[in-house]
Every structure is written in C-alpha cells, then in structure tokens.
Amino acid sequence: QVQLVESGGGVVQPGGRLTLRCEASGPILAIGAMGWERQRQPPGKKREVVAMVLEHGSLEIGDAVKGRVNITRNDARNVVTLEMTDLELSDTGVYYCNAGIRATNMPYRVYWGQGTPVTVSS
C-alpha cells in the first residue's frame, strides 16, 4: 500500500524555523509532483499550497509564504523536505503532504498524508 509519512510538525516560536519531511513508500511505479499544502485556522480558511516540486523540477510556492520557504526533493523523487523561516502566528494550521503517484495496478492519482499540526506560539 502506498504511504506518505510526515514528520517535523509541532510547536514553533514566532520568528522561528520549521522543517517538514515527507517520504512516499510502497508499490510505486512513478511520482509526479510532490509537496505540501496546509489548512490554516478558521474562519473560512481554504486549503492552500505551501510549496510543491513539480514533475520536472520546477517549484510552486504559495503566495503567503513566498520568500520564507525552500523545498527540495531527493534523486529517487520520493522524499521532499520543506524548510520554512520567520514563522508567524498566521502559519498555524495542519500541514498535509501530497504527491501524484502511479502505483502497481492502479491509475495515477494524488495521495495525501494524514496531516501534521503546526502551532506557532510563544
């Protein structure tokens, strides 16, 4: 079974740094885009892109975090690492890893991690 395992979430002080890692494993034939989205605190916050590595290496960075994030992917294309700096209170939320994956005997589709909470607080 395909799994996306997330790590690195927790409590971060304002102005601090955050590192999130996601590893995809299982019967994977190919991986396209891979990265992180988030659901910030209510009211009415929609899930938004934080940072994605696209299929051929281009980066997609969310408007709210431009200038504060970096994302990399390993050569095997199954691990992404997100580095975020200058954390703000408004960065609090649940962060979700996602990846487009072709698995054995299954069509290409997007897989999601369970989500890891990030709380920015002093």
Side-chain angles (χ1 to χ4, degrees), residues 64-79:
V65 297
K66 284 182 178 177
R68 300 193 291 121
V69 299
N70 185 39
I71 187 166
T72 58
R73 176 149 63 173
N74 66 340
D75 289 341
R77 300 171 58 86
N78 72 317
V79 179

Side-chain angles (χ1 to χ4, degrees), residues 61-114:
I61 308 297
D63 289 341
V65 297
K66 284 182 178 177
R68 300 193 291 121
V69 299
N70 185 39
I71 187 166
T72 58
R73 176 149 63 173
N74 66 340
D75 289 341
R77 300 171 58 86
N78 72 317
V79 179
V80 290
T81 303
L82 175 74
E83 285 279 348
M84 184 180 296
T85 61
D86 301 313
L87 270 289
E88 305 169 354
L89 296 180
S90 61
D91 291 318
T92 294
V94 180
Y95 287 64
Y96 299 88
C97 180
N98 72 94
I101 294 175
R102 173 72 166 90
T104 54
N105 301 122
M106 297 182 67
Y108 183 94
R109 72 172 182 89
V110 176
Y111 290 77
W112 293 88
Q114 287 193 347

Side-chain angles (χ1 to χ4, degrees), residues 27-39:
I28 296 171
L29 297 177
I31 302 178
M34 187 173 182
W36 292 88
E37 299 189 14
R38 69 183 181 181
Q39 175 67 59

Side-chain angles (χ1 to χ4, degrees), residues 20-32:
L20 298 179
R21 182 181 185 272
C22 179
E23 180 171 348
S25 62
I28 296 171
L29 297 177
I31 302 178

Side-chain angles (χ1 to χ4, degrees), residues 39-60:
Q39 175 67 59
R40 292 195 279 173
Q41 294 182 106
K45 288 292 186 180
K46 189 176 182 179
R47 187 173 296 186
E48 62 186 319
V49 170
V50 179
M52 302 288 298
V53 182
L54 304 186
E55 182 173 358
H56 298 294
S58 298
L59 304 183
E60 179 184 358

